[in-house]
Amino acid sequence: MSHIAFIGLGNMGGPMVSNLLKHGQSVCVFDLVQDAMAHCTRLGARQAKTASEAAKDASVVISMLPAATHVQELYLGESGLLASIEPDTLVIDCSTIDAETARAVAWEANLKGCPFVDAPVSGGVGGAKAGTLTFIMGGDESAVALARPVLQNMGVNLFHAGPVGAGQIAKICNNLLLAVLMAGTSEALQLAIHHGLDPKVVSEIMRNSSGGNWTLEKYNPCPGVMDNVPAANDYQGGFLVRLMNKDLDLALAAASETGSATPMAAAAQSLFRVHQNHGNGHRDFSSIFELFAKS
Ligand code: NAD
């Protein structure tokens, strides 16, 4: 029976596999971390010794890897997946990477007769667990049509942004805005705290006023305001500071290609870079809240 091969079982990939399984899909997984694979096998997935073994006889390959270097290493080159994959296998990369790498992988995939879609996601670990992710697709109409029923097992909103690479551009525009909103929300909440106000009360005021935004709705950065967010768990898990810095680097590189002015992205990048350099690269990005604290 043909199956879905899923490569990369981290904070996002693990829960995405769980939702594929809940929808009755047959899934074979691979990750460099054995514990991540063991978690998925307990949920009903098969595990492979290599990515190529996972992709053998698969009808769909999905990857959810940290950055472009990992995606290149997985698909391209002599020992890459595309060297051994069967024609007609649908390839969906959900990692957030640069558009150029997405186009390079798409080119090689198409040479092998495999449709390719870049489909980075939005919605965070909460969305991955709940199966409510937003997928932002780039690719031909025909490839996107093939990807839709697969991605519907893991998400609710499926957007087609344009040709291959367009999903990545739309995604980094979104994350540029998210970085600015998270830094601004943190700054505003800390100012309120420094003036003796209750952050729960101020969050509720801003959420219902003109400063309302996604971070106040779903991902409050101040510990004690919201349950079930990384701030309630010492900023463990979630979306890592180093991944947000990667996305801001991608946004600034894309801006430089077109000569676009992105001063807010540059300011956010400086803040997240300082925060990472203070040893916070492996914490959730909402921990930027601590950077504005007064000691
Ligand atoms: P993560 O670091 O938690 O997980 C990545 C996984 O990939 C790890 O388990 C790692 O072992 C595995 N991996 C790395 N190289 C591999 C290889 N060659 N073969 C097999 N497995 C390999 O990252 P994440 O938070 O799950 O994010 C994945 C992607 O999704 C990133 O591009 C990120 O920017 C994007 N993203 C993350 C979030 C979030 O909230 N975490 C939200 C939206 C988008």
Side-chain angles (χ1 to χ4, degrees):
M1 180 183 148
S2 73
H3 63 275
I4 298 174
F6 202 109
I7 320 294
L9 310 168
N11 287 321
M12 296 296 285
M16 289 165 76
V17 166
S18 165
N19 280 312
L20 285 170
L21 293 166
K22 277 183 201 154
H23 282 86
Q25 303 289 344
S26 165
V27 185
C28 185
V29 297
F30 177 70
D31 193 290
L32 301 176
V33 176
Q34 180 56 42
D35 278 356
M37 287 204 283
H39 173 72
C40 290
T41 51
R42 280 195 295 275
L43 298 174
R46 285 186 294 122
Q47 77 175 58
K49 289 192 185 66
T50 62
S52 301
E53 186 187 309
K56 193 170 183 316
D57 299 327
S59 52
V60 183
V61 173
I62 302 178
S63 47
M64 191 51 162
L65 298 170
T69 50
H70 308 91
V71 174
Q72 267 169 345
E73 185 189 308
L74 174 68
Y75 289 109
L76 305 178
E78 273 174 35
S79 54
L81 261 193
L82 294 176
S84 58
I85 208 165
E86 291 295 326
D88 292 330
T89 310
L90 172 63
V91 179
I92 307 175
D93 179 42
C94 294
S95 327
T96 305
I97 61 169
D98 61 291
E100 200 179 324
T101 300
R103 288 184 205 113
V105 177
W107 176 262
E108 289 296 326
N110 291 166
L111 286 180
K112 289 286 296 194
C114 296
F116 175 92
V117 174
D118 51 304
V121 307
S122 179
V125 175
K129 285 184 178 161
T132 56
L133 288 171
T134 294
F135 287 91
I136 309 168
M137 295 182 280
D140 312 348
E141 288 287 354
S142 57
V144 165
L146 291 172
R148 276 185 192 280
V150 179
L151 300 180
Q152 269 161 357
N153 291 307
M154 302 174 281
V156 170
N157 296 310
L158 274 61
F159 293 109
H160 184 193
V164 167
Q168 297 296 350
I169 298 290
K171 164 67 185 170
I172 57 168
C173 290
N174 177 74
N175 274 26
L176 177 168
L177 182 56
L178 174 62
V180 169
L181 289 172
M182 187 56 87
T185 300
S186 297
E187 182 179 308
L189 281 173
Q190 288 282 16
L191 175 64
I193 292 166
H194 300 162
H195 280 269
L197 275 66
D198 180 343
K200 252 189 185 171
V201 173
V202 178
S203 292
E204 201 50 18
I205 292 169
M206 296 195 298
R207 194 174 73 79
N208 289 289
S209 303
S210 45
N213 69 74
W214 185 85
T215 72
L216 287 166
E217 289 287 344
K218 301 255 168 88
Y219 217 100
N220 197 295
C222 178
V225 173
M226 232 177 219
D227 296 331
N228 300 318
V229 289
N233 187 27
D234 195 24
Y235 302 106
Q236 298 306 302
F239 182 44
L240 306 186
V241 168
R242 64 179 164 75
L243 291 179
M244 178 51 96
N245 271 315
K246 178 227 6 167
D247 290 358
L248 287 165
D249 288 347
L250 291 172
L252 288 164
S256 147
E257 269 174 43
T258 46
S260 307
T262 48
M264 305 303 284
Q269 189 202 35
S270 298
L271 292 168
F272 279 98
R273 191 64 71 198
V274 167
H275 193 49
Q276 178 166 343
N277 291 347
H278 286 177
N280 296 298
H282 285 81
R283 301 176 80 206
D284 179 72
F285 82 118
S286 63
S287 63
I288 193 80
F289 179 75
E290 293 180 349
L291 193 66
F292 299 94
K294 273 171 56 177
S295 50

